[in-house]
Amino acid sequence: MGPMRVGVRRGAPDQTEADTRVVGLFEGETLGAPELQALVDSGEARGKLKSVVVTHEAGGRRVIVAGLGKREELDAEKARVAAAAVAARAKELGAKALSWAAPTADTAVAAGLVEGTMLKLYAFDEYKSGRDDEDSTRIESLEITTDAEVERAVEEARVRAEAQNAARDLQNQPSNVATPEYLADRARTIAEAHDSLTFDALDRHEIRELGMGAFSAVAQGTDREPRLIVLRYEGGSGGPRLGFVGKAVTFDTGGISIKPAGKMHEMKFDMSGGAAVIEAMGAIARLGLDARIVAVVPSTENMPSGRSMKPGDIVRAMNGKTIEINNTDAEGRLILADALCYAVDQGAERIVDLATLTGAIVTTFGSTYCGLFSNDDDWYAHVEAACKATGELGWRLPLHPEYFELTKGQYADLTNSSEARKAASIYAAEFLRQFVDDRPWVHMDIAGVAWGMTRNYVAGGASGFGVRTLIELARTAGA
Ligand code: BES
Ligand code: MN
Ligand code: ZN
């Protein structure tokens, strides 16, 4: 099944060739066409956001009247929500081509319509028998009908949503398919499609040779070969070099400190940060954004075996710091410690990492906000703005010397898990901070939002969270 065709069309909304056209309705406003206004008058069509009413006009074309809320409140996020409601209904009705009449000249709203539609229609069904029948009634195209200059915004939105859906594909693949080598292959494929990207992947031996004792310790317990995946983007001259780092534990059993069976299957999603980083890099290259980025994705399984790291083991990370491993299930911070050192080594001047790092952040924020942590208020403001602009919500939690104290080891410089069990998400952030060499850095703990979101346009399984924020950072961090 091919990707959805997305474009901009000029002219009258009712002159489209699409089988289904969509007209937005603001609260308290009217519609031009008398037949459609009759639906408003009768109370059937409403301006309330998410309201969807279906009718047909002369010639048989389907018309969907979609509620948009109050005109002055319509923004990209509400556009995503409205578009998702429409897309779900249109799919049920067997629509093949959608034509949205842009409700305003706002480029962000046009982009939101594209994202909401594409993200809502995402499905991961390659292992379901008989899906070919359903494919014949797929929505194949989306056009935004408008006289406004929205081409660039619509194309960017299409690329963003496609990348986010690609990240969801990587996440949803089970761990027997999506191995570290599989993720590396995906990164290589992306790099091969763009001259501005270069790919590198270090193997078990090379990871050890670089002095990555923490990453090596996690990887020593599994028979699957680990990879340190590196993508470099050279798409401009100015601005600081960005470092994107993504945790990619392709399955987290907990290791010797093994997890309970109940939800362990969800730990195939423990590579979500890495998936977001890899696919965002592809989108950034496709859009030719003016940025220089080094992306580092440490990838391994975390398994119990006769070779596994054990509680009490002491290892040395790439920057020389020693770590006492008191819980083998706190493996994300171990692989990230070395990956952050590597990003610094490779010249990253502003760093953002994405990681499904702590269960505690799920308790704190559920599946609505990710946790944000930073050692630099200016860089934090930048990342927060990117989150706001894309609707990928984040909320800052503090760092503090008292939390830093908790990370000190009894026998080594650091311990990856303290007996105190206090402030677990902040503890993890304080741990990571010690590997960024004081560079401006933001840590995004995405354990709650990487899957199981309940946003109208991304609900259920993998969310692809972070892809849009990273692309936005590449677009805006040049200054
Ligand atoms: N991948 C998990 C975090 C996680 C848990 C993500 C649940 C999503 C849902 C991480 O590797 C982990 O196991 N963290 C431990 C750390 C603890 C042992 C200090 C946790 O949060 O329980
Ligand atoms: Mn773990
Ligand atoms: Zn983990």
Side-chain angles (χ1 to χ4, degrees):
M1 92 175 197
M4 179 184 275
R5 278 179 285 117
V6 177
V8 177
R9 183 182 147 268
R10 307 284 173 209
D14 60 0
Q15 297 296 305
T16 179
E17 315 241 294
D19 56 54
T20 305
R21 72 179 182 96
V22 189
V23 182
L25 173 62
F26 288 108
E27 271 174 39
E29 298 192 12
T30 55
L31 292 175
E35 325 83 79
L36 297 180
Q37 180 56 31
L39 288 171
V40 181
D41 294 339
S42 74
E44 189 172 339
R46 284 169 304 133
K48 205 166 137 30
L49 189 67
K50 287 186 271 184
S51 161
V52 171
V53 164
V54 184
T55 184
H56 292 82
E57 59 192 347
R61 184 190 293 106
R62 191 181 292 119
V63 184
I64 293 180
V65 180
L68 298 174
K70 296 195 173 72
R71 179 179 287 273
E72 64 276 15
E73 287 176 6
L74 182 64
D75 59 8
E77 178 66 8
K78 291 198 166 68
R80 285 181 206 108
V81 170
V86 167
R89 180 66 67 82
K91 181 174 182 255
E92 270 171 25
L93 296 170
K96 289 200 160 177
L98 272 185
S99 175
W100 252 102
T104 70
D106 188 344
T107 53
V109 166
L113 294 176
V114 173
E115 289 172 345
T117 306
M118 293 180 67
L119 296 173
K120 182 66 180 183
L121 293 174
Y122 171 80
F124 182 73
D125 52 12
E126 66 169 279
Y127 298 105
K128 291 278 196 189
S129 309
R131 72 193 172 102
D132 289 351
D133 308 342
E134 284 159 41
D135 262 12
S136 58
T137 57
R138 205 171 58 86
I139 298 177
E140 289 159 1
S141 66
L142 166 67
E143 69 186 20
I144 307 292
T145 298
T146 181
D147 291 328
E149 294 294 321
V150 300
E151 278 80 359
R152 175 75 188 169
V154 162
E155 173 61 6
E156 283 190 7
R158 184 189 69 78
V159 171
R160 270 198 301 274
E162 204 168 276
Q164 185 171 345
N165 285 343
R168 296 163 95 181
D169 274 344
L170 290 179
Q171 292 177 277
N172 280 322
Q173 286 291 355
S175 73
N176 58 325
V177 175
T179 61
E181 287 171 279
Y182 179 97
L183 294 181
D185 282 348
R186 173 65 189 153
R188 177 190 286 116
T189 302
I190 289 172
E192 280 169 356
H194 302 280
D195 288 342
S196 53
L197 281 177
T198 54
F199 163 86
D200 202 3
L202 311 188
D203 65 15
R204 189 187 290 280
H205 178 73
E206 293 164 316
I207 291 164
R208 201 178 299 124
E209 287 294 298
L210 275 170
M212 297 186 168
F215 185 5
S216 293
V218 179
Q220 79 191 32
T222 173
D223 290 336
R224 284 228 205 269
E225 290 306 312
R227 288 287 183 270
L228 185 80
I229 302 164
V230 185
L231 285 171
R232 286 186 191 78
Y233 176 68
E234 291 293 337
S237 45
R241 186 180 300 278
L242 307 183
F244 292 172
V245 177
K247 171 180 174 181
V249 172
T250 56
F251 198 83
D252 181 12
T253 65
I256 297 299
S257 315
I258 198 162
K259 288 181 180 295
K263 286 187 161 195
M264 199 199 277
H265 58 92
E266 291 189 342
M267 285 298 117
K268 72 170 183 176
F269 292 131
D270 211 19
M271 35 58 75
S272 298
V277 167
I278 289 169
E279 296 300 339
M281 291 297 280
I284 289 162
R286 175 172 293 202
L287 294 170
L289 299 183
D290 184 3
R292 297 179 302 156
I293 308 168
V294 54
V296 183
V297 175
S299 186
T300 179
E301 288 182 339
N302 184 25
M303 295 287 283
S305 80
R307 284 191 309 274
S308 293
M309 59 180 176
K310 300 175 294 300
D313 286 1
I314 296 177
V315 298
R316 188 182 297 275
M318 195 180 171
N319 65 353
K321 291 190 177 151
T322 56
I323 307 165
E324 203 174 308
I325 299 168
N326 285 334
N327 190 320
T328 67
D329 198 10
E331 86 298 340
R333 63 202 70 178
L334 294 174
I335 70 172
L336 288 169
D338 281 328
L340 289 166
C341 290
Y342 190 78
V344 167
D345 248 41
Q346 296 296 308
E349 295 164 288
R350 303 268 190 285
I351 301 173
V352 54
D353 79 71
L354 284 84
T356 48
L357 206 62
T358 66
I361 208 71
V362 193
T363 309
T364 307
F365 289 130
S367 297
T368 305
Y369 282 81
C370 74
L372 297 175
F373 308 80
S374 183
N375 61 355
D376 184 281
D377 290 346
D378 289 339
W379 179 229
Y380 172 76
H382 226 103
V383 176
E384 187 191 43
C387 286
K388 284 225 169 84
T390 58
E392 292 182 324
L393 303 175
W395 198 265
R396 190 176 187 177
L397 290 175
L399 300 174
H400 190 280
E402 288 179 10
Y403 297 122
F404 165 65
E405 282 300 314
L406 295 173
T407 67
K408 292 191 170 157
Q410 187 180 354
Y411 305 102
D413 301 332
L414 293 165
T415 170
N416 75 333
S417 163
S418 79
E419 272 161 48
R421 292 243 194 85
K422 285 179 173 171
S425 302
I426 300 176
Y427 179 108
E430 284 284 1
F431 185 95
L432 296 182
R433 187 175 60 76
Q434 296 171 66
F435 299 91
V436 300
D437 193 35
D438 291 326
R439 312 274 162 108
W441 154 83
V442 173
H443 160 55
M444 301 174 70
D445 191 336
I446 60 168
V449 294
W451 69 95
M453 285 185 82
T454 53
R455 201 70 45 83
N456 304 69
Y457 52 92
V458 261
S463 69
F465 189 101
V467 170
R468 301 204 308 270
T469 295
L470 290 175
I471 297 169
E472 183 66 11
L473 277 176
R475 220 164 62 85
T476 56

